[in-house]
Amino acid sequence: MESNRLHFLITAGGTREYIDPVRFITNASSGKMGFALAASAVKTGHKATLITTIKNPQFKIKNSKLKIVEVESAEQMFKAVKEHFRKCNCLIMAAAVSDYTPAEKYKIKIKKSNKNLVIKLKPTADILKWAGKNKKKNQIVVGFALEDKNLRKNADRKLKDKNLDMIIANTPAAIGSEKSTVYIKKRDKNWLILKDLDKAVIAESIIKSSILNLQF
Ligand code: CTP
């Protein structure tokens, strides 16, 4: 079994983009899907490294095959992914990475005034796109797509543009919920729809499907 053990690199949670030492921009991602994926990977005997912004004990997974790396910002997540990517067979980017971060971070807490406050944002690096570009033959890269309209068309474009092996598309209703409906697509394959299922069940299906891609 040891030699068949795969290494999954999984990201979870919404990133925190600090404006000043106490305030940040984030999103409603709970990290549930990322944790469910890591739990499923180790439960099936594989190794997982989970890069997460969520430190909530309700998600704690006790398994010696799981390594947890805690990060906060998109920049820290990118650094951690770069550090671990080479050693993994499969990267699954389940994290809700912020597309923007403050162009400048205030070193001290911003004081209130009566004037409007304008915060300039700059784009972050697309971690998934970097991985799609830098993957080796024995590696696969799986992404998520959060879409409120034209779900399949937009997700299919992300699958190709980011050079992914598989994409899992969902709608904003999935954020923070226990159950979810996902649309899964591999390169040159048809859409698979998993309707209103527990995130643990969806995670199992994604892990199984990724393993199949790694075994031919
Ligand atoms: N992602 C990433 N790095 C970013 C932004 C997103 O790696 N800076 C990853 C997410 O983890 C997810 C995928 O890209 O797996 C798609 O994220 P999504 O927010 O749906 O799409 P974007 O590429 O950010 O495009 P848009 O927000 O315009 O839909």
Side-chain angles (χ1 to χ4, degrees), residues 93 95 97-99 124-128 143-146 158 162:
M93 282 294 303
V97 185
S98 175
D99 290 331
T124 57
D126 191 319
I127 304 170
L128 192 58
F144 275 73
L146 188 66
K158 284 176 190 171
K162 302 193 192 197

Side-chain angles (χ1 to χ4, degrees), residues 8-9 19 29 35 39-40 43 54 81 95 113 115 128 134-135 139 156 172 176-177 190 202:
F8 286 88
L9 180 60
I19 297 164
S29 169
F35 274 78
S40 172
K43 213 172 78 189
I54 308 284
V81 167
S113 87
K115 296 192 186 116
L128 192 58
N134 288 282
K135 69 182 174 188
Q139 290 182 302
D156 202 26
S177 65
N190 292 325
I202 294 173

Side-chain angles (χ1 to χ4, degrees), residues 37-106:
L37 286 162
S40 172
V42 294
K43 213 172 78 189
T44 43
H46 300 289
K47 252 176 76 176
T49 301
L50 181 64
I51 300 172
T52 175
T53 63
I54 308 284
K55 294 147 198 173
N56 191 334
Q58 105 182 66
F59 294 127
K60 283 238 156 81
I61 306 163
K62 274 210 174 118
N63 193 305
S64 60
K65 294 191 276 312
L66 176 70
K67 180 188 159 95
I68 302 255
V69 179
E70 290 178 353
V71 296
E72 286 196 292
S73 65
E75 192 183 355
Q76 288 170 357
M77 185 169 277
F78 193 15
K79 192 166 167 263
V81 167
K82 276 180 172 165
E83 223 170 277
H84 293 88
F85 186 60
R86 274 293 140 257
K87 290 168 280 168
C88 83
N89 303 99
C90 174
L91 167 69
I92 310 181
M93 282 294 303
V97 185
S98 175
D99 290 331
Y100 293 93
T101 193
E104 273 173 78
K105 185 185 149 189
Y106 287 77

